[in-house]
Coordinates of all heavy atoms in Angstrom, one line a residue:
F20 N 1.2 -21.7 18.1 CA 1.1 -20.2 17.7 C 0.9 -20.0 16.3 O 0.2 -19.1 15.8 CB 2.2 -19.4 18.3 CG 2.3 -18.0 17.9 CD1 1.6 -17.1 18.5 CD2 3.2 -17.6 17.0 CE1 1.6 -15.8 18.2 CE2 3.3 -16.3 16.6 CZ 2.5 -15.3 17.2
S21 N 1.6 -20.7 15.4 CA 1.6 -20.6 14.0 C 0.2 -20.9 13.4 O 0.0 -20.5 12.3 CB 2.7 -21.4 13.4 OG 2.4 -22.8 13.6
G22 N -0.6 -21.5 14.2 CA -2.0 -21.8 13.7 C -3.0 -20.7 14.0 O -4.2 -20.9 13.8
Y23 N -2.5 -19.5 14.4 CA -3.4 -18.3 14.8 C -3.2 -17.2 13.8 O -2.0 -16.8 13.5 CB -3.2 -17.9 16.2 CG -3.6 -18.8 17.3 CD1 -2.8 -19.9 17.8 CD2 -4.9 -18.8 17.7 CE1 -3.3 -20.7 18.7 CE2 -5.4 -19.6 18.7 CZ -4.6 -20.6 19.2 OH -5.0 -21.5 20.1
A24 N -4.3 -16.6 13.4 CA -4.2 -15.3 12.9 C -4.1 -14.2 14.0 O -4.6 -14.5 15.1 CB -5.5 -15.0 12.0
M25 N -3.5 -13.2 13.8 CA -3.1 -12.3 14.8 C -3.5 -10.8 14.4 O -3.5 -10.5 13.2 CB -1.6 -12.2 15.2 CG -1.1 -13.5 15.6 SD -1.8 -14.1 17.2 CE -1.2 -12.8 18.3
G26 N -4.0 -10.0 15.3 CA -4.4 -8.6 15.0 C -4.0 -7.7 16.1 O -3.7 -8.1 17.2
W27 N -4.0 -6.5 15.8 CA -3.8 -5.4 16.7 C -5.1 -4.4 16.6 O -5.5 -4.1 15.5 CB -2.5 -4.5 16.3 CG -1.2 -5.1 16.7 CD1 -0.4 -5.8 15.9 CD2 -0.6 -5.2 18.1 NE1 0.7 -6.3 16.7 CE2 0.5 -5.9 17.9 CE3 -1.1 -4.6 19.3 CZ2 1.4 -6.1 19.1 CZ3 -0.2 -4.9 20.4 CH2 1.0 -5.6 20.2
F28 N -5.5 -4.1 17.7 CA -6.6 -3.2 17.9 C -6.2 -2.0 18.8 O -5.3 -2.2 19.6 CB -7.9 -3.9 18.4 CG -8.4 -4.9 17.4 CD1 -7.8 -6.2 17.3 CD2 -9.6 -4.6 16.7 CE1 -8.3 -7.0 16.4 CE2 -10.1 -5.6 15.9 CZ -9.5 -6.8 15.7
R29 N -7.0 -0.9 18.7 CA -6.8 0.1 19.7 C -8.0 0.8 20.1 O -9.1 0.8 19.5 CB -5.8 1.2 19.1 CG -6.4 1.9 17.9 CD -5.3 2.9 17.2 NE -5.9 3.6 16.1 CZ -5.1 4.3 15.3 NH1 -3.8 4.4 15.5 NH2 -5.7 5.0 14.3
Q30 N -8.0 1.4 21.3 CA -9.2 2.1 21.8 C -8.7 3.3 22.6 O -7.9 3.2 23.5 CB -9.9 1.2 22.8 CG -11.2 1.7 23.2 CD -12.0 0.7 24.0 OE1 -11.5 -0.3 24.5 NE2 -13.4 0.8 24.1
A31 N -9.3 4.4 22.2 CA -9.0 5.7 22.9 C -10.2 5.9 23.9 O -11.3 5.4 23.7 CB -8.9 6.8 22.0
P32 N -10.0 6.6 25.0 CA -11.1 7.0 25.9 C -12.3 7.5 25.3 O -12.2 8.4 24.4 CB -10.5 8.0 26.8 CG -9.0 7.7 26.8 CD -8.7 7.3 25.4
G33 N -13.4 7.0 25.6 CA -14.7 7.4 25.0 C -14.9 7.0 23.6 O -16.0 7.4 23.0
K34 N -14.1 6.2 23.0 CA -14.3 5.7 21.6 C -14.4 4.2 21.5 O -14.0 3.5 22.5 CB -13.1 6.2 20.8 CG -13.0 7.7 20.6 CD -11.9 8.1 19.7 CE -11.8 9.6 19.5 NZ -10.6 10.0 18.6
E35 N -14.9 3.7 20.5 CA -15.1 2.3 20.2 C -13.7 1.7 19.9 O -12.8 2.4 19.4 CB -16.0 2.0 19.1 CG -17.4 2.5 19.3 CD -18.3 1.4 19.6 OE1 -18.2 0.3 19.2 OE2 -19.3 1.6 20.4
R36 N -13.5 0.5 20.3 CA -12.3 -0.2 19.9 C -12.2 -0.4 18.4 O -13.3 -0.8 17.8 CB -12.2 -1.6 20.6 CG -10.9 -2.4 20.3 CD -10.9 -3.6 21.1 NE -10.7 -3.4 22.5 CZ -10.6 -4.3 23.5 NH1 -10.5 -5.5 23.1 NH2 -10.6 -3.9 24.7
E37 N -11.1 -0.1 17.8 CA -11.1 -0.2 16.3 C -10.0 -1.1 15.8 O -8.9 -1.3 16.5 CB -10.8 1.2 15.7 CG -9.5 1.9 15.8 CD -9.3 3.0 15.1 OE1 -10.0 3.2 14.0 OE2 -8.3 3.8 15.4
F38 N -10.1 -1.7 14.7 CA -9.1 -2.6 14.1 C -8.0 -1.6 13.6 O -8.2 -0.6 13.1 CB -9.8 -3.3 12.9 CG -8.8 -3.9 12.0 CD1 -8.2 -5.1 12.3 CD2 -8.4 -3.3 10.8 CE1 -7.3 -5.7 11.4 CE2 -7.5 -3.9 10.0 CZ -6.9 -5.1 10.3
V39 N -6.8 -2.1 13.7 CA -5.6 -1.4 13.3 C -4.9 -2.2 12.2 O -4.5 -1.8 11.2 CB -4.6 -1.2 14.4 CG1 -3.3 -0.5 13.9 CG2 -5.2 -0.3 15.5
A40 N -4.5 -3.5 12.5 CA -3.8 -4.3 11.6 C -4.0 -5.8 11.9 O -4.3 -6.2 13.0 CB -2.3 -4.0 11.6
A41 N -3.8 -6.7 10.9 CA -3.9 -8.1 11.0 C -2.9 -8.8 10.1 O -2.5 -8.3 9.1 CB -5.3 -8.6 10.7
I42 N -2.6 -10.0 10.6 CA -1.6 -10.8 9.8 C -2.2 -12.2 9.8 O -2.5 -12.8 10.8 CB -0.2 -10.6 10.4 CG1 0.8 -11.3 9.5 CG2 -0.2 -11.1 11.8 CD1 2.3 -10.9 9.9
S43 N -2.0 -12.9 8.6 CA -2.4 -14.2 8.5 C -1.4 -15.1 9.3 O -0.4 -14.8 9.7 CB -2.4 -14.7 7.1 OG -1.1 -14.6 6.5
W44 N -1.8 -16.4 9.4 CA -1.1 -17.4 10.2 C 0.4 -17.5 9.8 O 1.2 -17.8 10.6 CB -1.8 -18.7 10.1 CG -1.7 -19.4 8.7 CD1 -2.5 -19.1 7.7 CD2 -0.7 -20.3 8.3 NE1 -2.1 -19.9 6.6 CE2 -1.0 -20.6 7.0 CE3 0.3 -21.0 9.0 CZ2 -0.3 -21.5 6.3 CZ3 1.0 -21.8 8.3 CH2 0.8 -22.2 6.9
N45 N 0.7 -17.4 8.5 CA 2.0 -17.6 8.0 C 2.7 -16.2 7.7 O 3.8 -16.3 7.2 CB 2.0 -18.5 6.8 CG 1.1 -17.9 5.6 OD1 0.4 -16.8 5.8 ND2 1.0 -18.5 4.6
G46 N 2.1 -15.1 8.0 CA 2.7 -13.9 7.8 C 2.6 -13.3 6.4 O 3.2 -12.2 6.1
V47 N 2.0 -14.1 5.5 CA 2.0 -13.6 4.1 C 1.1 -12.5 3.8 O 1.4 -11.6 3.0 CB 1.7 -14.8 3.2 CG1 1.5 -14.5 1.8 CG2 2.7 -15.9 3.3
V48 N -0.1 -12.5 4.4 CA -1.2 -11.5 4.1 C -1.3 -10.7 5.2 O -1.4 -11.0 6.4 CB -2.5 -12.2 3.8 CG1 -3.6 -11.1 3.5 CG2 -2.3 -13.0 2.5
K49 N -1.4 -9.3 5.0 CA -1.5 -8.2 6.0 C -2.6 -7.3 5.6 O -2.8 -7.0 4.4 CB -0.2 -7.5 6.3 CG 1.0 -8.4 6.7 CD 2.3 -7.7 6.7 CE 3.4 -8.5 7.0 NZ 4.7 -7.8 7.0
Y50 N -3.3 -6.8 6.6 CA -4.3 -5.7 6.4 C -4.1 -4.6 7.3 O -3.7 -4.9 8.5 CB -5.7 -6.2 6.4 CG -6.0 -7.2 5.3 CD1 -6.0 -8.6 5.5 CD2 -6.3 -6.8 4.0 CE1 -6.3 -9.5 4.5 CE2 -6.6 -7.6 3.0 CZ -6.6 -9.0 3.2 OH -6.9 -9.9 2.2
Y51 N -4.5 -3.4 7.0 CA -4.4 -2.2 7.9 C -5.6 -1.3 7.7 O -6.2 -1.2 6.6 CB -3.1 -1.4 7.5 CG -1.8 -2.1 7.6 CD1 -1.3 -2.8 6.4 CD2 -1.1 -2.2 8.8 CE1 -0.1 -3.4 6.5 CE2 0.1 -2.9 8.8 CZ 0.6 -3.5 7.7 OH 1.8 -4.2 7.8
V52 N -5.9 -0.7 8.7 CA -6.8 0.4 8.7 C -6.3 1.5 7.9 O -5.0 1.8 7.9 CB -7.3 0.8 10.1 CG1 -6.2 1.6 10.8 CG2 -8.5 1.7 10.0
D53 N -7.1 2.3 7.1 CA -6.6 3.3 6.3 C -5.7 4.3 6.9 O -4.8 4.8 6.4 CB -7.7 4.0 5.5 CG -8.4 3.1 4.5 OD1 -7.9 2.0 4.2 OD2 -9.5 3.5 4.0
S54 N -6.1 4.6 8.2 CA -5.4 5.7 8.8 C -3.9 5.4 9.2 O -3.2 6.3 9.5 CB -6.1 6.1 10.0 OG -6.2 5.0 11.0
V55 N -3.5 4.1 9.2 CA -2.2 3.7 9.5 C -1.4 3.1 8.4 O -0.2 2.9 8.5 CB -2.1 2.7 10.7 CG1 -3.0 3.3 11.8 CG2 -2.6 1.4 10.4
R56 N -2.1 2.9 7.2 CA -1.4 2.2 6.1 C -0.2 3.1 5.6 O -0.4 4.3 5.5 CB -2.4 2.0 5.0 CG -1.8 1.2 3.9 CD -2.9 0.8 2.8 NE -4.0 -0.1 3.4 CZ -5.1 0.4 3.6 NH1 -5.5 1.7 3.3 NH2 -6.1 -0.5 4.1
G57 N 1.0 2.5 5.5 CA 2.1 3.2 5.1 C 3.0 3.7 6.2 O 4.1 4.0 6.1
R58 N 2.4 3.7 7.4 CA 3.1 4.1 8.7 C 3.4 3.0 9.6 O 4.4 2.9 10.2 CB 2.4 5.2 9.4 CG 2.1 6.5 8.5 CD 1.5 7.5 9.5 NE 0.2 7.3 10.0 CZ -0.1 7.1 11.3 NH1 0.8 7.4 12.2 NH2 -1.3 6.7 11.6
F59 N 2.4 2.1 9.7 CA 2.5 0.9 10.6 C 2.8 -0.4 9.8 O 2.3 -0.5 8.7 CB 1.2 0.7 11.4 CG 0.9 1.8 12.4 CD1 1.6 3.0 12.5 CD2 -0.1 1.5 13.3 CE1 1.3 3.9 13.4 CE2 -0.4 2.5 14.3 CZ 0.3 3.6 14.3
T60 N 3.6 -1.3 10.4 CA 3.9 -2.6 9.8 C 3.6 -3.6 10.9 O 4.2 -3.6 12.0 CB 5.3 -2.6 9.3 OG1 5.5 -1.6 8.4 CG2 5.5 -4.0 8.7
I61 N 2.8 -4.6 10.5 CA 2.5 -5.8 11.4 C 3.5 -6.9 10.8 O 3.6 -7.1 9.7 CB 1.1 -6.2 11.5 CG1 0.9 -7.3 12.5 CG2 0.6 -6.6 10.1 CD1 -0.6 -7.6 12.8
S62 N 4.1 -7.6 11.8 CA 4.9 -8.8 11.4 C 4.8 -9.8 12.5 O 4.3 -9.5 13.7 CB 6.3 -8.3 11.2 OG 6.9 -7.8 12.3
R63 N 5.3 -11.0 12.2 CA 5.3 -12.1 13.2 C 6.5 -12.9 13.2 O 7.1 -13.0 12.0 CB 4.0 -12.9 13.2 CG 3.9 -13.7 11.9 CD 2.5 -14.3 11.8 NE 2.2 -15.3 12.9 CZ 0.9 -15.6 13.2 NH1 -0.1 -15.2 12.6 NH2 0.8 -16.5 14.2
D64 N 6.9 -13.4 14.2 CA 8.1 -14.4 14.3 C 7.5 -15.7 15.1 O 7.4 -15.7 16.3 CB 9.2 -13.8 15.1 CG 10.4 -14.7 15.0 OD1 10.3 -16.0 14.8 OD2 11.5 -14.2 15.2
N65 N 7.1 -16.6 14.3 CA 6.4 -17.8 14.9 C 7.4 -18.5 15.8 O 6.9 -19.2 16.7 CB 5.8 -18.7 13.7 CG 4.6 -18.1 13.2 OD1 4.1 -17.1 13.6 ND2 4.1 -18.7 12.1
A66 N 8.6 -18.5 15.5 CA 9.7 -19.2 16.3 C 9.8 -18.6 17.7 O 10.1 -19.3 18.6 CB 11.0 -19.2 15.6

């Protein structure tokens, strides 16, 4: 599991699936779509 990058996406009815957040394999680097930045937090527990 620790060898995977992970992401969250979302899709509303009638809309395209969009990127929400992603996290690197070791949890160090995170990215967010502008609309959720500051409100959402992605994290991981590899154990």
Side-chain angles (χ1 to χ4, degrees):
F20 174 75
S21 63
Y23 289 91
M25 303 294 296
W27 286 97
F28 294 75
R29 65 187 181 185
Q30 186 171 23
K34 296 183 179 180
E35 300 258 325
R36 184 174 296 184
E37 69 168 344
F38 167 82
V39 177
I42 187 167
S43 63
W44 69 277
N45 58 359
V47 171
V48 176
K49 304 172 183 179
Y50 293 103
Y51 301 92
V52 67
D53 289 347
S54 61
V55 310
R56 189 174 295 109
R58 299 188 297 119
F59 291 12
T60 302
I61 188 171
S62 62
R63 67 190 296 161
D64 186 339
N65 287 350

